[in-house]
Amino acid sequence: MKRAVKENFDASADAYAAYEARTGRFAALAERLAAAMEPRGRVLDAGAGTGAATDALAARADELVALDASPAMLRANPAPARVAGDIDRLPLCDDSVDAVAFTASLFLVPDPAAAVREARRVLRPGGVVGAVAPDGWTADGEGVFAALDRESRSPAPTEAVVDAVDAAFETASGTWTFDTDADDLRAFHAIPAMAARLYPKLPPDERTERAREALAAVDGGLEQHWRWVVGR
Ligand SMILES: C[S@@+](CC[C@H](N)C(=O)[O-])C[C@H]1O[C@@H](n2cnc3c(N)ncnc32)[C@H](O)[C@@H]1O
């Protein structure tokens, strides 16, 4: 599973950057998460990708480390300190960072609790952890994918992300909703790693093509929801 996720993101760097240039969604999520976490000192951007979240964290950090499993995503990240690695097996010493931000990444490992234990291990006393995870797209309150008779799945359910942080920290959590539209939904699923949520078994090209066909009829305004959780 982890290998498939890594390969999916290796095939996604360009489409990811195009989606982010169009919507600014991941930068907006990171800005909200960073404001909720108030990170200080040495901050780990865990699943940093192309760097959409890195600025919001770096603005509040003395030092930022960008870590990602996908070489292609990490190559596009402008952070000076970049580390290849897995969020559930961090290549960092115990008590070595002041904050760990899972910026849209904790739902991508099969066992979020293992990654949260790793965050706990590398955090210094008084440290803070935060995560955001997708919570669906709706049109007038109705799930877009239910209407298409299709499920949109991550490797781990969003509840498992919140529960994992909740089990190890004192938490605050909630949902952020963004007004968006059907064209953004299609741009999101033009990213092979996101189309994998709908068609995990197809190769990247076929999967984005199938998603394009499936989403062609969706029209008008939508809402996109993200759960967030911060633990101390
Ligand atoms: C949805 S992207 C988010 C990227 C970035 N944080 C942002 O907000 O734009 C998820 C990122 O998590 C990375 N990722 C997935 N599984 C991972 C793992 N096990 N360890 C480290 N990074 C992982 C992917 O390669 C990808 O870059």
Side-chain angles (χ1 to χ4, degrees):
M1 168 68 79
K2 275 169 51 182
R3 187 170 163 191
V5 169
K6 174 178 169 297
E7 286 172 2
N8 288 342
F9 277 99
D10 274 338
S12 293
D14 290 346
Y16 197 95
Y19 173 77
E20 186 57 15
R22 174 192 173 88
T23 66
R25 177 70 71 249
F26 288 101
L29 276 169
E31 189 52 48
R32 290 184 188 202
L33 186 66
M37 289 174 67
E38 299 179 332
R40 299 273 180 273
R42 187 171 193 233
V43 176
L44 177 65
D45 186 0
T50 56
T54 303
D55 279 355
L57 296 167
R60 293 159 167 95
D62 296 327
E63 186 188 347
L64 182 125
V65 179
L67 175 138
D68 205 280
S70 159
M73 294 291 279
L74 200 54
R75 257 196 305 276
N77 192 309
R82 287 173 293 172
V83 178
D86 264 325
I87 58 175
D88 56 2
R89 222 175 146 197
L90 291 173
L92 298 178
C93 300
D94 296 359
D95 296 343
S96 58
V97 301
D98 300 291
V100 178
F102 294 103
T103 51
S105 57
L106 190 48
F107 58 96
L108 293 167
V109 286
D111 182 7
V116 171
R117 280 195 295 277
E118 277 292 85
R120 167 60 90 202
R121 179 182 67 75
V122 302
L123 275 175
R124 294 176 181 137
V128 59
V129 62
V132 289
D135 206 21
W137 301 69
T138 54
D140 297 328
E142 297 294 322
V144 168
F145 295 106
L148 297 173
D149 206 16
R150 184 93 235 152
E151 259 191 280
S152 176
R153 279 207 190 134
S154 305
T158 292
E159 277 316 314
V161 167
V162 177
D163 290 350
V165 181
D166 216 24
F169 293 87
E170 291 287 319
T171 57
S173 64
T175 302
W176 289 318
T177 294
F178 296 86
D179 288 330
T180 179
D181 61 28
D183 288 334
D184 282 357
L185 175 77
R186 284 184 278 274
F188 188 82
H189 291 86
I191 304 171
M194 304 309 182
R197 293 166 55 79
L198 296 175
Y199 301 105
K201 296 206 160 70
L202 294 179
D205 283 358
E206 282 179 48
R207 163 188 329 147
T208 49
E209 180 61 23
R210 284 287 289 281
R212 201 176 59 78
E213 288 164 11
L215 301 173
V218 182
D219 204 8
L222 305 175
E223 306 89 39
Q224 187 189 21
H225 311 278
W226 290 84
R227 290 293 304 278
W228 63 271
V229 58
V230 169
R232 294 174 201 281

